[in-house]
Amino acid sequence: MLADGGTAHLRPVRADDAELLRSFYARLSAESIYYRFFSPHPQLTEREIEHFTTVDHDTRVALIATIGDAMVAIARYDRTGDREAEVAFLVEDAHQGRGMASVLLEHLAAAARERGLRRFVASVLPDNRRMTKIFRDVGYQAQQRFEDGIIELNLDLTPTETSLGVMTAREHRAEARSIQRLLFPRSVAVIGAGRDALSVGQTVLRHLLKGDFTGPVYPVHSTAKAVAGVRAYATVLDIPDEVDLAVVAVRADSVHEVVAQCAGKGVHGLVVVSAGFGETGAEGRASQEELVRLARAHGMRVVGPNCLGIANTDRSVRLNATLAPTLPGRGPVGFFSQSGALGIAILQRTAERGLGLSTFVSAGNRADVSGNDLMQYWEEDPATTAVLLYLESIGNPRKFTRLARRLGRTKPIVAVKSGRSTQGVPLGHAARALTLPDHAVSALFAQAGVIRVEDLSELFDVAQLLAYQPLPEGDRVAIIDNSDSLGLLAEDAATALGLEARRPVNLGPQAGPAEYESALAGALEDPAVDAVVALFTPPVIGGVDPGVAAAMVRKAEASRKPIVATYLGAKGMPPELRQPGSPGGGTPAYGSVPSYPAPEDAVRALAYVTRYAAWQRRPHGRVPESPGIDRIRARVLVAELLSDADGPVTATAGQAAELLDHYGITVADGDEGIPTRIVTMEDPSFGAVVSFGLSDVAAALLDDRAYRLAPLTDAEAAELIRAIRTAPLLFGHRGAEPVDAGTLERLLLRVSMLADDLPEVLRLELDPVMAHSSGVTVRRASLSLARPVGPRPELGPRRLPGSVTPAGP
């Protein structure tokens, strides 16, 4: 992914790339050539071409970037010493400034570290400020000296907190920009827009036109002169103007041809609503993979296939490129739905609830663009203050949890609980799916800051509160009602959900606007109250008192504490409970009061949001760097254990102990203490997971285990050992001597680092770990390994095709 949101394909150079290299070199400016070779060099000799395209992938490594069939950049290193290599780059002028050299440097550095190299050296002319800046900004420790008119740079390739931060920031900017290009197109082509008004293509076309898209819309049909009254073109190549976004609605067997035409046209992104791909079986999956390969090779992102489409309510674009006839109005909520089939119903219910959206993406088969990409975009989007996710599976679980943890600190994420399955795991690897108990799934979502709800109704309940009310600063709730029964229902629900409910204030059945306004003012001004539940039932069946609703809205507008309501006789968020600034007949404005059908619904939504607010306020700690960890030797050992394996491998006790030793963990006999159990597992839905509990029959029978995502922060490690129900046994229960909690926490941190570093570790079990007052002793360890399947864990460059397993330092 490049800085401007485009894509390029990176791979090792091959001997048959000679002609690509010649063409690439012929397009370079004299200045770019001079900066690379320090002298005029208008043409490469045959010997130079052979030298540049022939490498051994060890002492000499070269990578190229291609877009379509053209080479646009090349980077290489040549080993010059035991731990050192000289590095050089060359990027085509038309693609300079897109972040291509930075991406190539990341991959070259990863390849060098795998082969035992520790330093890159580079020679740069003083006038080549762009390349000097790339080396300085990468985040590695760098030294610089000036000699004989040349800047000599020396980069220490050891990853640092700064270099990892640079990599994360680059990835974030690139992926966010790629989604922005999809959601803010200047023009749209609908390919496959047929004459039939009920056809998929014409449906999307009509929705674009009806939504008043701000740019030109081009129907594409092989024979039609016009579709829905708009001039049509035989192919996208025949359109005389530029096309930013193409909606593809042709038969599956025609999609690849259409993608090639879009590439030739210079289209930036594709929304493929066509079905008949990965959802149909192995052949469809292969066709889907080829679709994405073709698109990405030519710089295009793909939404879908088999999707509902995308929408953006921003007034500067007004994009409704979906199959949904009803699109909610403008609002602060970003919505990602994996399901295309449910998408129409979801959008309809969103509109019925009066919930406004900023953007909506239905990813269907999620072959390319995923919820992770959208979270990158929404993190920076000022128009989005809350994020809703409907997920059936998580394609890249490690990345999802990393992004959710970061995004959730500033914007709430609400996800529907969906059935856990092996959908994110390729066929043939279902045995790798590790089932977690439901309480573990909830704990992992909560650790990542994700509000996990049970169904779509709860999703919208919570969204209404997050979109239009502030977060509570605590769990103390005041209840105001005009009916004892309503108040008691709310009080019971609050207590059951862990909120601290004050005794309900019953204003009596005849209470009107003045009484409610006075009671609300008192509750909101009370420093012992963090949120208010306002309940109103009209004294006459079917009667609605707009004055009471107006009183609620007035107090909500002036308060920094949330108000939720049950306004019997009103459905969703009625106009009476909306801010005066809300668009007439449209979506509510901030400060509108969400109304729920029953007190229990209102309190449940408030409880979800209260728990999230507590997570947001809580110190999250940091992942400390532990001394004595040798990640390179650990990776070499794992590679050796898997070198001849066709499937999962069970390591010997000695091999497990050797791997642990590389992380500063010793397996040994020791004094008796309280037996505990530490397990790491690679879960297909969440990635690396760490569990902790006591090592006894009762703990196993009662499933008294606590679960957290790796890597653990110091705060999370401390929280983990205290999260089990039997934790008091570790902390001096009934006068017993407390265990050394600090050492136990440090052991958990090292184990979690191992699990995060090595996705090949399918399961690592330390049982028993004896915890006593003077330390801990790992008595026994078992280890299972398997090659990772699915997306590569984050962060870091992917291993490139043609790379070799390192032989060790």
Side-chain angles (χ1 to χ4, degrees):
M1 195 76 64
L2 303 178
D4 60 0
T7 62
H9 177 58
L10 268 61
R11 63 170 174 83
V13 74
R14 299 191 300 255
D16 60 1
D17 287 330
E19 190 55 43
L20 278 182
L21 181 58
R22 286 192 193 92
S23 299
F24 163 72
Y25 199 82
R27 296 192 301 272
L28 295 173
S29 68
E31 182 182 62
S32 292
I33 292 173
Y34 187 85
Y35 281 155
R36 171 63 177 87
F37 294 102
F38 299 178
S39 65
H41 199 82
Q43 197 170 21
L44 293 176
T45 66
E46 289 302 314
R47 183 176 179 180
E48 287 172 327
I49 289 175
E50 181 180 1
H51 174 76
F52 289 142
T53 57
T54 305
V55 295
D56 61 10
H57 301 294
D58 184 15
T59 61
R60 298 176 61 242
V61 171
L63 308 176
I64 68 170
T66 63
I67 297 178
D69 298 326
M71 179 191 299
V72 295
I74 184 168
R76 62 182 298 110
Y77 76 69
D78 292 83
R79 188 189 290 263
T80 56
D82 183 39
R83 303 279 178 163
E84 186 176 278
E86 184 177 9
V87 64
F89 299 85
L90 192 52
V91 178
E92 185 178 337
D93 296 67
H95 296 280
Q96 292 176 10
R98 301 185 68 195
M100 203 163 292
S102 298
V103 176
L104 285 166
L105 179 56
E106 285 179 12
H107 284 80
L108 270 184
R113 285 192 296 268
E114 286 183 350
R115 291 152 181 79
L117 294 173
R118 294 292 182 269
R119 290 178 300 280
F120 274 165
V121 294
S123 300
V124 183
L125 290 174
D127 288 345
N128 193 356
R129 295 182 182 87
R130 179 175 284 172
M131 185 56 66
T132 305
K133 187 175 187 300
I134 288 170
F135 284 116
R136 288 173 177 166
D137 291 349
V138 75
Y140 296 123
Q141 291 186 358
Q143 295 179 340
Q144 175 181 322
R145 63 188 176 90
F146 186 77
E147 185 175 333
D148 296 331
I150 296 174
I151 297 173
E152 298 287 346
L153 292 165
N154 189 311
L155 295 182
D156 184 336
L157 298 182
T158 304
T160 65
E161 188 172 336
T162 301
S163 68
L164 293 175
V166 168
M167 189 185 303
T168 300
R170 184 200 59 76
E171 172 207 59
H172 169 68
R173 288 192 302 269
E175 293 183 358
R177 176 62 179 140
S178 74
I179 298 303
Q180 184 182 42
R181 294 208 311 177
L182 286 169
L183 292 171
F184 285 86
R186 293 166 299 177
S187 57
V188 179
V190 182
I191 305 174
R195 294 188 179 93
D196 185 352
L198 298 179
S199 67
V200 170
Q202 190 179 137
T203 298
V204 175
L205 175 66
R206 284 188 283 104
H207 292 167
L208 280 164
L209 298 174
K210 181 181 176 182
D212 195 22
F213 174 62
T214 56
V217 179
Y218 305 106
V220 175
H221 189 274
S222 59
T223 59
K225 298 298 182 182
V227 178
V230 181
R231 180 186 175 184
Y233 297 86
T235 73
V236 70
L237 295 171
D238 296 315
I239 298 173
D241 300 313
E242 292 183 353
V243 175
D244 282 349
L245 179 69
V247 180
V248 181
V250 299
R251 296 193 316 271
D253 58 5
S254 301
V255 168
H256 291 175
E257 179 184 2
V258 166
V259 172
Q261 293 171 350
C262 289
K265 183 63 179 175
V267 172
H268 291 162
L270 304 173
V271 175
V272 183
V273 297
S274 307
F277 290 92
E279 76 279 8
T280 64
E283 185 176 344
R285 279 191 295 276
S287 179
Q288 179 172 295
E289 290 171 1
E290 178 64 9
L291 157 64
V292 175
R293 188 197 68 78
L294 286 170
R296 296 295 292 266
H298 291 86
M300 296 180 289
R301 299 298 309 268
V302 179
V303 178
N306 190 32
C307 72
L308 182 73
I310 65 176
N312 184 354
T313 61
D314 191 289
R315 292 177 180 85
S316 68
V317 63
R318 294 194 294 269
L319 175 72
N320 181 9
T322 77
L323 293 168
T326 302
L327 189 65
R330 183 69 172 164
V333 176
F335 203 145
F336 174 86
S337 172
Q338 185 175 336
S339 172
L342 278 178
I344 294 177
I346 287 173
L347 287 176
Q348 182 176 351
R349 292 184 65 177
T350 304
E352 289 173 351
R353 286 289 192 109
L355 186 64
L357 297 183
S358 60
T359 43
F360 170 82
V361 173
S362 162
N365 293 2
R366 203 192 52 213
D368 179 21
V369 170
S370 69
N372 290 343
D373 296 295
L374 269 298
M375 286 197 292
Q376 297 273 39
Y377 169 74
W378 283 323
E379 183 177 358
E380 289 193 350
D381 179 27
T384 301
T385 60
V387 169
L388 307 185
L389 305 175
Y390 180 86
L391 302 172
E392 295 173 350
S393 64
I394 300 173
N396 192 329
R398 289 184 174 220
K399 185 171 183 177
F400 172 80
T401 55
R402 173 172 62 86
L403 295 179
R405 279 168 142 174
R406 192 177 73 211
L407 174 59
R409 290 169 190 155
T410 57
K411 298 180 182 182
I413 305 167
V414 191
V416 173
K417 171 190 176 184
S418 57
R420 299 189 69 249
S421 69
T422 59
Q423 280 184 292
V425 183
L427 292 182
H429 299 278
R432 290 201 63 181
L434 300 174
T435 302
L436 293 173
D438 190 70
H439 74 87
V441 176
S442 294
L444 297 180
F445 268 120
Q447 181 195 359
V450 177
I451 303 171
R452 181 202 186 198
V453 297
E454 298 295 321
D455 51 40
L456 286 173
S457 292
E458 288 191 357
L459 181 81
F460 293 123
D461 285 348
V462 174
Q464 286 184 184
L465 177 51
L466 290 171
Y468 304 113
Q469 289 287 299
L471 294 177
E473 295 183 357
D475 61 359
R476 301 165 300 177
V477 179
I479 301 169
I480 299 171
D481 63 81
N482 65 344
S483 163
D484 279 333
S485 57
L486 287 180
L488 290 175
L489 286 173
E491 183 182 18
D492 289 346
T495 302
L497 290 167
L499 300 176
E500 183 183 327
R502 300 179 65 177
R503 194 69 182 163
V505 175
N506 183 2
L507 302 178
Q510 301 302 318
E515 290 80 8
Y516 267 90
E517 188 154 7
S518 175
L520 284 167
L524 292 171
E525 292 169 4
D526 188 342
V529 172
D530 300 305
V532 176
V533 178
L535 313 172
F536 175 78
T537 181
V540 179
I541 296 176
V544 175
D545 187 344
V548 171
M552 294 181 186
V553 171
R554 282 195 299 272
K555 302 315 297 182
E557 182 182 16
S559 175
R560 297 179 62 184
K561 299 177 182 179
I563 300 175
V564 295
T566 290
Y567 199 85
L568 295 185
K571 183 180 180 182
M573 190 180 293
E576 294 84 3
L577 287 173
R578 301 184 185 188
Q579 272 285 13
S582 302
T587 54
Y590 188 81
S592 300
V593 178
S595 178
Y596 300 90
E600 298 91 336
D601 299 323
V603 173
R604 186 184 302 110
L606 181 60
Y608 275 125
V609 173
T610 299
R611 287 192 289 270
Y612 165 74
W615 174 88
Q616 198 180 58
R617 292 191 303 271
R618 188 168 62 240
H620 296 283
R622 56 183 293 272
V623 178
E625 185 56 48
S626 299
I629 293 180
D630 193 333
R631 290 180 169 89
I632 291 178
R633 291 189 180 276
R635 291 190 179 101
V636 170
L637 174 61
V638 168
E640 290 173 350
L641 294 177
L642 289 172
S643 60
D644 297 322
D646 294 326
V649 170
T650 300
T652 66
Q655 291 165 339
E658 183 181 358
L659 180 62
L660 288 169
D661 185 62
H662 292 319
Y663 278 80
I665 301 169
T666 302
V667 179
D669 294 330
D671 298 332
E672 293 299 319
I674 297 177
T676 65
R677 177 174 175 265
I678 298 173
V679 177
T680 75
M681 61 198 78
E682 186 69 20
D683 183 80
S685 292
F686 291 97
V689 175
V690 181
S691 75
F692 174 79
L694 298 189
S695 178
D696 59 31
V697 174
L701 182 65
L702 298 174
D703 192 23
D704 187 17
R705 314 279 189 221
Y707 298 80
R708 295 295 184 271
L709 300 164
L712 297 172
T713 67
D714 48 9
E716 290 166 345
E719 183 183 86
L720 181 58
I721 65 173
R722 293 163 175 81
I724 57 175
R725 298 191 296 278
T726 46
L729 296 176
L730 301 172
F731 296 96
H733 181 62
R734 292 188 175 181
E737 194 170 18
V739 304
D740 183 352
T743 301
L744 186 57
E745 291 164 14
R746 288 190 288 274
L747 173 62
L748 281 166
L749 287 168
R750 288 178 179 266
V751 170
S752 82
M753 290 177 191
L754 185 154
D756 185 55
D757 290 340
L758 302 172
E760 297 88 351
V761 174
L762 186 60
R763 185 179 181 89
L764 172 65
E765 187 167 339
L766 310 185
D767 186 12
V769 175
M770 308 307 297
H772 39 80
S773 59
S774 58
V776 299
T777 304
V778 179
R779 296 284 301 276
R780 186 169 55 251
S782 60
L783 172 67
S784 298
L785 301 167
R787 289 190 175 88
V789 295
R792 186 193 186 281
E794 299 296 317
L795 263 170
R798 296 171 174 82
R799 177 167 292 173
L800 294 163
S803 62
V804 295
T805 300

